[in-house]
């Protein structure tokens, strides 16, 4: 047929031609790869330190080189495995040793290297955080002490006034709000909530007083019992000054004559009250009913009814039952004590359930009012509501012992029973054997007669 007018030839390629081109491309790439492998000059292995064979004293040179490399390796290993906190100087024995940056060290090393000390105290349980022996030890070494009442936003204002009047008789005290609050997954999304929680208060009056009263260059150290908020106090002071932690040294310069030791001093203590529950929260989550039973003995009936909005109940035996009814936690038509205990322990951990420990000592004199200069930054964070009052600083938690149940085995039988049963069996078998013998003899006699 004749082609139509103006019709173009198709540009389609036959399959035979297409596959042939692909094959040629693969072969070409293989050839290039082979040539690259052969053309690249491989790095030659270093010989004996590039020492020629004709060189005099070759063996001695090689031995020296080996010793040098081994010494380098040992020095690297030593630097990696270093765990020392203090570096001493042999030449200048009068100067105190420097602290290498770590999270916390012993309070004695901080006392020896710092002239002024900030003692951080948790207002919720101040008696557990303070020690009279350590306070006398600091004063005997001619060191100035400043008390910091931390976590003020978790306690009523009457409690703050009481403890301020107690500690102000011994040394100058300041009020701080520098706590780290745990947020849930939903709350972490909101940026405004993070900003409100990251705020701090009470730092400016402390810094102003230190800068005005100091004439010589001094270092300020921070000490306190565990989980009091020492690291939060350090970070709030640095944020207020617009500084960051120094990398090589533990002391950060805040002003011309003032340095802050970012490594805090830990006072070893064993908590026996509410702070013990907060410190060992993960272990107490396994037995929450025992913790609540011990806590019910340390709180009054009126406070528990007001704080948890409970009806009339028998205190302290019916505390767990009333809480389970209040929060509607029932299992098999019986109150679930463990579920209620976990719920209240979570509220304590997340700082939603506020509490304070009432002091057992009477105050000498009237309560002192806090000056307005100290309440300038903190006044907006103060808590105006009520909190759970704990009457004693010691809570005796009796943890139930786990009883291991022995697996009952049907094969385990007493020896006496086995002997009796075996004897009866043997007696029965003898009688049967005698009867069978008599039957056999009778049958044999009948056969003979036939």
């Amino acid at each position: 047929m004749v082609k139509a007018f103006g019709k173009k030839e198709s540009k389609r390629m036959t399959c035979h031609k297409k596959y042939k081109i692909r094959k040629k491309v693969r072969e070409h790439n293989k050839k290039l790869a082979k040539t690259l492998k052969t053309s690249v000059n491989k790095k030659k292995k270093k010989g004996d330190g590039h020492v020629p064979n004709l060189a005099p004293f070759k063996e001695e040179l090689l031995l020296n080189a080996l010793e040098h490399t081994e010494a380098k390796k040992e020095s690297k290993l030593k630097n990696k495995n270093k765990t020392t906190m203090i570096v001493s100087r042999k030449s200048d024995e009068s100067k105190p040793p420097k602290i290498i940056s770590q999270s916390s060290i012993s309070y004695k090393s901080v006392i020896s290297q710092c002239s002024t000390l900030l003692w951080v105290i948790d207002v919720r349980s101040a008696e557990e955080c303070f020690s009279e022996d350590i306070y006398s030890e600091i004063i005997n070494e001619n060191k100035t002490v400043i008390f910091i009442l931390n976590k003020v936003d978790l306690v009523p204002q009457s409690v703050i006034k009481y403890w301020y009047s107690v500690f102000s008789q011994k040394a100058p005290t300041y009020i701080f709000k520098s706590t780290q609050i745990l947020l849930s997954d939903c709350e972490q999304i909101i940026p405004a909530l993070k900003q409100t929680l990251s705020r701090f208060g009470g730092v400016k009056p402390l810094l102003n007083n230190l800068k005005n009263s100091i004439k010589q260059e001094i270092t300020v150290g921070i000490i306190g019992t565990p989980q009091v908020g020492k690291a939060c106090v350090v970070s709030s002071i640095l944020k207020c000054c617009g500084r960051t932690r120094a990398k090589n040294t533990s002391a950060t310069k805040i002003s011309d004559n003032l340095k802050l030791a970012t490594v805090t001093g830990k006072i070893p203590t064993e908590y026996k009250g509410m702070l013990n529950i907060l410190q060992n929260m993960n272990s107490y989550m396994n037995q929450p009913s025992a913790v609540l039973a011990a806590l019910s003995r340390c709180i009054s009936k009126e406070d528990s009814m007001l704080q948890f909005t409970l009806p009339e109940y028998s205190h302290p035996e019916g505390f767990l039952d009333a809480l389970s009814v209040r929060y509607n936690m029932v299992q098999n038509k019986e109150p679930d004590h463990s579920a209620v205990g976990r719920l209240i322990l979570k509220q304590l951990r997340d700082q939603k359930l506020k509490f304070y420990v009432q002091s057992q000592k009477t105050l000498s004199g009237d309560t002192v009012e806090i000056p307005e200069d100290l309440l300038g930054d903190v006044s907006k964070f103060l808590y105006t509501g009520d909190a759970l009052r704990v009457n004693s600083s010691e809570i005796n938690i009796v943890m139930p012992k786990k009883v291991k149940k022995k697996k009952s085995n049907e094969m385990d039988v007493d020896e006496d029973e086995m002997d009796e049963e075996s004897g009866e069996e043997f007696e029965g078998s003898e009688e049967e054997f005698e009867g069978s013998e008599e039957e056999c003899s009778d049958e044999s006699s009948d056969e003979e007669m036939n």
Side-chain angles (χ1 to χ4, degrees):
M1 290 177 67
V2 181
K3 288 182 182 180
F5 181 75
K7 192 176 181 181
K8 296 180 181 179
E9 293 182 359
S10 80
K11 294 180 180 179
R12 287 184 181 179
M13 190 185 293
T14 58
C15 292
H16 175 72
K17 192 175 182 182
K18 184 169 68 175
Y19 297 140
K20 195 173 182 181
I21 290 163
R22 288 182 185 177
K23 187 180 177 183
K24 294 285 183 184
V25 169
R26 284 199 299 272
E27 288 175 357
H28 178 68
N29 290 333
K30 279 184 183 179
K31 282 181 182 179
L32 285 174
K34 282 182 181 179
T35 53
L36 285 170
K37 281 181 183 179
T38 53
S39 63
V40 172
N41 294 321
K42 292 181 181 179
K43 291 182 180 179
K44 294 180 181 180
K45 291 182 181 180
K46 290 183 180 180
D48 301 333
H50 298 286
V51 181
N53 292 325
L54 298 173
F57 311 109
K58 181 183 176 182
E59 293 180 356
E60 292 180 3
L61 291 169
L62 291 172
L63 288 170
N64 291 328
L66 283 170
E67 287 175 1
H68 185 64
T69 52
E70 285 177 359
K72 273 188 177 180
K73 287 180 182 178
E74 287 177 0
S75 65
K76 283 182 181 179
L77 288 170
K78 283 179 182 178
N79 291 327
K80 282 183 182 178
N81 299 325
K82 265 186 182 179
T83 55
T84 54
M85 294 182 293
I86 294 168
V87 180
S88 59
R89 294 179 179 177
K90 293 181 180 179
S91 59
D92 300 331
E93 294 181 354
S94 61
K95 289 184 180 180
K98 277 188 178 181
I99 305 170
I100 294 170
S101 60
Q102 283 194 357
S103 60
S104 63
I105 54 173
S106 178
Y107 73 98
K108 291 183 179 178
S109 60
V110 176
I111 290 167
S112 63
Q113 296 170 22
C114 301
S115 56
T116 60
L117 299 166
L118 304 178
W119 194 332
V120 184
I121 289 168
D122 194 346
V123 190
R124 296 177 293 178
S125 180
E127 285 184 353
E128 291 185 271
C129 302
F130 180 72
S131 176
E132 197 70 40
D133 297 332
I134 295 167
Y135 178 68
S136 60
E137 183 183 345
I138 293 164
I139 290 168
N140 291 331
E141 292 186 4
N142 297 322
K143 306 283 183 178
T144 57
V145 183
I146 296 168
F147 291 111
I148 290 172
L149 302 177
N150 196 15
K151 301 181 183 180
V152 172
D153 56 328
L154 306 174
V155 162
Q157 295 181 18
S158 59
V159 179
I160 301 164
K161 287 180 182 178
Y162 176 81
W163 288 115
Y164 179 80
S165 57
V166 169
F167 287 106
S168 61
Q169 294 175 0
K170 298 177 181 179
T173 58
Y174 290 88
I175 294 164
F176 262 59
K177 187 266 171 186
S178 59
T179 54
Q180 188 177 3
I181 297 170
L182 296 169
L183 296 174
S184 62
D185 295 334
C186 297
E187 289 174 345
Q188 284 177 2
I189 299 165
I190 306 163
L193 190 63
K194 285 184 182 180
Q195 289 174 5
T196 54
L197 295 174
S198 64
R199 289 176 188 169
F200 51 86
V203 183
K204 288 180 181 178
L206 174 67
L207 291 172
N208 292 328
N209 191 6
L210 286 171
K211 288 174 184 177
N212 295 328
S213 61
I214 291 162
K215 296 179 181 179
Q216 296 178 354
E217 187 175 351
I218 62 161
T219 56
V220 180
I222 294 169
I223 59 170
T225 51
Q227 289 190 351
V228 170
K230 301 185 291 294
C232 292
V233 170
V234 172
S235 61
S236 60
I237 291 167
L238 291 172
K239 281 178 185 176
C240 187
C241 298
R243 301 295 175 89
T244 55
R245 297 194 183 197
K247 292 182 179 179
N248 297 325
T249 59
S250 62
T252 307
K253 197 169 185 179
I254 295 169
S255 65
D256 297 332
N257 297 326
L258 190 63
K259 284 185 179 180
L260 179 69
T262 53
V263 182
T264 58
K266 186 179 177 181
I267 299 169
T269 52
E270 290 183 1
Y271 293 134
K272 296 180 181 178
M274 292 296 292
L275 296 179
N276 178 28
I277 296 168
L278 293 172
Q279 191 178 15
N280 303 315
M281 184 63 74
N282 293 327
S283 61
Y284 286 134
M285 276 288 184
N286 298 324
Q287 296 292 336
S289 57
V291 179
L292 277 186
L295 183 63
S296 64
R297 301 185 205 104
C298 301
I299 58 174
S300 63
K301 184 179 178 180
E302 295 175 355
D303 291 335
S304 61
M305 288 173 70
L306 192 141
Q307 191 67 29
F308 298 107
T309 60
L310 298 176
E312 190 70 27
Y313 71 98
S314 61
H315 189 76
E317 293 85 7
F319 179 63
L320 289 168
D321 295 335
L323 279 173
S324 59
V325 172
R326 162 70 180 81
Y327 291 105
N328 195 14
M329 289 187 174
V330 182
Q331 188 178 10
N332 297 327
K333 297 182 180 180
E334 290 184 358
D336 194 355
H337 295 170
S338 60
V340 175
R342 285 192 204 95
L343 189 141
I344 289 164
L345 287 176
K346 284 177 183 177
Q347 288 179 0
L348 284 169
R349 183 193 64 188
D350 300 338
Q351 298 177 0
K352 291 177 182 177
L353 177 61
K354 294 175 174 60
F355 71 91
Y356 68 93
V357 180
Q358 191 177 15
S359 69
Q360 298 174 357
K361 297 176 182 178
T362 56
L363 180 64
S364 60
D366 298 330
T367 56
V368 180
E369 291 187 359
I370 303 165
E372 294 181 356
D373 298 335
L374 300 179
L375 289 171
D377 299 335
V378 191
S379 58
K380 56 187 175 183
F381 298 115
L382 292 177
Y383 181 61
T384 55
D386 295 326
L388 185 66
R389 183 180 63 186
V390 182
N391 297 323
S392 67
S393 59
E394 292 184 3
I395 299 171
N396 297 319
I397 300 167
V398 180
M399 300 294 284
K401 294 181 179 178
K402 292 182 180 179
V403 180
K404 292 183 179 179
K405 292 182 180 180
K406 292 182 180 179
K407 292 182 180 179
S408 60
N409 193 357
E410 294 177 357
M411 300 297 290
D412 295 338
V413 186
D414 295 336
E415 292 180 356
D416 298 331
E417 293 178 359
M418 285 289 290
D419 293 336
E420 289 175 0
E421 288 176 0
S422 61
E424 290 173 359
E425 287 176 359
F426 281 121
E427 286 174 0
S429 62
E430 285 176 359
E431 290 174 358
E432 290 174 358
F433 182 70
E434 288 174 359
S436 62
E437 281 184 347
E438 289 175 358
E439 289 176 358
C440 290
S441 61
D442 293 334
E443 288 176 359
S444 61
S445 61
D446 291 334
E447 288 175 357
E448 288 175 359
M449 290 292 289
N450 293 325

